[in-house]
Amino acid sequence: MKDTIYLDNNATTRILDEVWQEMTPYFIQNYANASSVYHQMGRAANAAVQLSRKQVAEALNCTPKEVFFNSGATESINTVLQGVFDKYRSQGNHIITAATEHKAVLSCCEQLTKQGAQITYLPVDSQGRIALDDLKNAITTKTILICLMAANNETGVLTEMEEVAAICQEEDILFFCDATQAIGKVTIDLQELPIDLLCLSAHKIHGPKGVGALYIRRKSKPIQLTPLILGGGQENGFRGGTYNVPAIVGFGKAISMLNPQAYTNVQAYRDLLEAELADIPEISIHGQNTSRLPTTSYISFKHVLASEIMTACPTLALSSGSACVTGSREPSHVLLAMGISKEDALAAIRFSLSILTTREEILQCAQLIKEAVQKIRDQSPIWQLFKAGLIS
């Protein structure tokens, strides 16, 4: 579908050609099991896995021994939340997160409450930011984990990670950060930023789907986690299962190619899109007045359903929120937590760019959206009532 303008990169990105080329030999030529180290092909596959581990570690500025491969961020989130609660519940049962976290976090926390966990969901302001004082005040003697994402997957709003990490250090509480959307777009140096646990997925950085990594900081008092998947002893017994060598190789290649400076143009295109769409009356750009990812713009078009706009623009690949909430027609929990009305939340479209997005695509997208919104509103009795001042 080469005529499609793809602006759903927070959901997934296209594999770069260089990444695909690096992966293909491990499907066909060197297809050995990376745990079969008693023959040459197996050792070669294992060496490829270890090279990728080194590449991930270099990108995060940590050691390879702190990187554990898995199927992606959702698995990491389940591993950390369930694993920490299992190992530390004798010390406390309290976990702090935010109302705007990814559904993987919220669903897992909901499950943990059935096992006796106490969860605090920090509120956010109209820009999607937590208040650090709220975080400090939520901490109790029973708090064992603080779980906050680096960048929101819907709005792109950034968390003050340095300040959160400092609070966690001061209180001697584990800090788990879902950095899935942030990796590659903002600098995360784990030598400078004392995060204890961090997760990421390859498919958000132009790598393959179905592979990710969990970082676990090596400390004098080791962090305890109960494994989520037991098997043949892979990942030092922490995560069982046959290595997906091609995907891991692709992950390593993709992360080795990251360059946050490449997102300067992306932000310029994002700003261009917002400037072009500013001609449309009654739009709201969520999180506009705070620090955001350079890739993300989440916009509500008053009194127009997002689904109507996307249906009217079949050549645009867009999203009305998180792609991980399969088939949901409910308004975004992120926007509702920000105080946005249900009606305006259902009118919100997420535009998410990548390093492959072009200026021409942005201009075409803006034109199509403007035409669609105008046409829908022209045929809308609700819009006419709004214009007449009869409804708000």
Side-chain angles (χ1 to χ4, degrees):
M1 299 179 68
K2 65 179 181 179
D3 294 330
T4 298
I5 297 174
Y6 186 81
L7 294 174
D8 195 21
N9 289 280
N10 282 16
T12 198
T13 55
R14 200 204 95 178
I15 287 183
L16 294 176
D17 293 343
E18 298 92 332
V19 172
W20 176 244
Q21 290 165 9
E22 198 82 6
M23 292 171 62
T24 50
Y26 294 92
F27 286 110
I28 300 170
Q29 285 89 31
N30 190 2
Y31 48 84
N33 190 318
S35 298
S36 298
V37 294
Y38 291 104
H39 56 72
Q40 191 276 330
M41 284 180 65
R43 288 193 294 272
N46 187 275
V49 169
Q50 302 316 320
L51 173 60
S52 295
R53 196 186 310 278
K54 181 180 177 182
Q55 290 169 321
V56 173
E58 288 175 348
L60 299 176
N61 197 14
C62 64
T63 68
K65 290 183 178 180
E66 295 173 307
V67 175
F68 297 85
F69 289 121
N70 58 23
S71 66
T74 295
E75 183 184 328
S76 290
I77 288 165
N78 278 264
T79 298
V80 172
L81 290 175
Q82 296 185 47
V84 166
F85 183 69
D86 183 60
K87 286 292 188 180
Y88 291 84
R89 64 189 307 175
S90 62
Q91 300 177 30
N93 67 340
H94 184 224
I95 295 171
I96 299 172
T97 187
T100 52
E101 286 293 305
H102 193 280
K103 280 291 188 180
V105 169
L106 300 181
S107 297
C108 198
C109 285
E110 182 181 354
Q111 186 66 30
L112 288 177
T113 61
K114 299 174 183 177
Q115 302 173 35
Q118 297 293 318
I119 312 293
T120 295
Y121 299 95
L122 298 174
V124 297
D125 64 15
S126 62
Q127 298 300 309
R129 302 167 299 198
I130 64 163
L132 294 176
D133 283 343
D134 286 347
L135 174 59
K136 293 176 185 176
N137 293 334
I139 295 171
T140 74
T141 57
K142 298 294 185 181
T143 306
I144 55 175
L145 181 70
I146 292 173
C147 172
L148 294 169
M149 64 197 336
N152 189 271
N153 53 301
E154 295 189 24
T155 63
V157 169
L158 300 174
T159 297
E160 297 174 284
M161 289 188 293
E162 294 84 358
E163 291 81 355
V164 172
I167 292 169
C168 291
Q169 276 200 314
E170 183 178 338
E171 299 289 342
D172 193 25
I173 297 169
L174 292 175
F175 177 25
F176 171 43
C177 180
D178 172 6
T180 308
Q181 292 292 347
I183 294 294
K185 300 158 194 169
V186 296
T187 300
I188 295 180
D189 184 334
L190 292 173
Q191 291 301 311
E192 299 294 327
L193 190 58
I195 294 171
D196 297 302
L197 302 128
L198 177 143
C199 67
L200 63 157
S201 289
H203 73 108
K204 307 293 189 179
I205 55 171
H206 299 281
K209 299 174 185 66
V211 64
L214 174 62
Y215 158 81
I216 305 174
R217 184 176 292 277
R218 291 170 70 87
K219 306 172 77 168
S220 56
K221 184 179 179 182
I223 296 171
Q224 300 296 308
L225 284 178
T226 303
L228 186 68
I229 299 175
L230 299 173
Q234 292 88 352
E235 298 300 89
N236 291 324
F238 180 66
R239 200 274 186 183
T242 302
Y243 286 110
N244 185 349
V245 178
I248 291 172
V249 167
F251 184 13
K253 181 64 175 179
I255 205 166
S256 73
M257 296 177 67
L258 289 180
N259 176 16
Q261 297 302 316
Y263 286 89
T264 301
N265 283 342
V266 179
Q267 181 164 334
Y269 294 157
R270 191 273 310 274
D271 293 346
L272 173 63
L273 174 66
E274 293 179 352
E276 290 289 319
L277 295 180
D279 295 340
I280 302 174
E282 298 295 331
I283 68 168
S284 301
I285 303 173
H286 304 296
Q288 184 180 26
N289 298 321
T290 191
S291 298
R292 286 181 293 163
L293 291 174
T295 56
T296 309
S297 184
Y298 203 14
I299 303 177
S300 286
F301 302 84
K302 196 169 188 64
H303 291 309
V304 183
L305 288 173
S307 57
E308 291 182 291
I309 299 173
M310 291 187 289
T311 299
C313 300
T315 59
L316 298 181
L318 303 168
S319 171
S320 58
S322 173
C324 297
V325 187
T326 305
S328 175
R329 294 190 178 185
E330 292 298 309
S332 161
H333 74 282
V334 173
L335 294 183
L336 294 182
M338 292 166 63
I340 307 303
S341 70
K342 181 177 179 179
E343 182 181 52
D344 285 347
L346 289 170
I349 293 177
R350 182 184 67 183
F351 303 83
S352 49
L353 291 63
S354 82
I355 56 174
L356 301 178
T357 304
T358 67
R359 187 174 188 275
E360 292 70 24
E361 288 176 326
I362 291 300
L363 294 174
Q364 289 177 43
C365 171
Q367 186 60 37
L368 289 169
I369 293 291
K370 286 190 280 189
E371 291 173 359
V373 172
Q374 182 68 50
K375 183 177 180 180
I376 293 167
R377 284 177 171 173
D378 285 346
Q379 299 172 356
S380 168
I382 294 176
W383 180 250
Q384 304 311 318
L385 290 171
F386 173 77
K387 284 180 65 180
L390 298 175
I391 60 172
S392 59

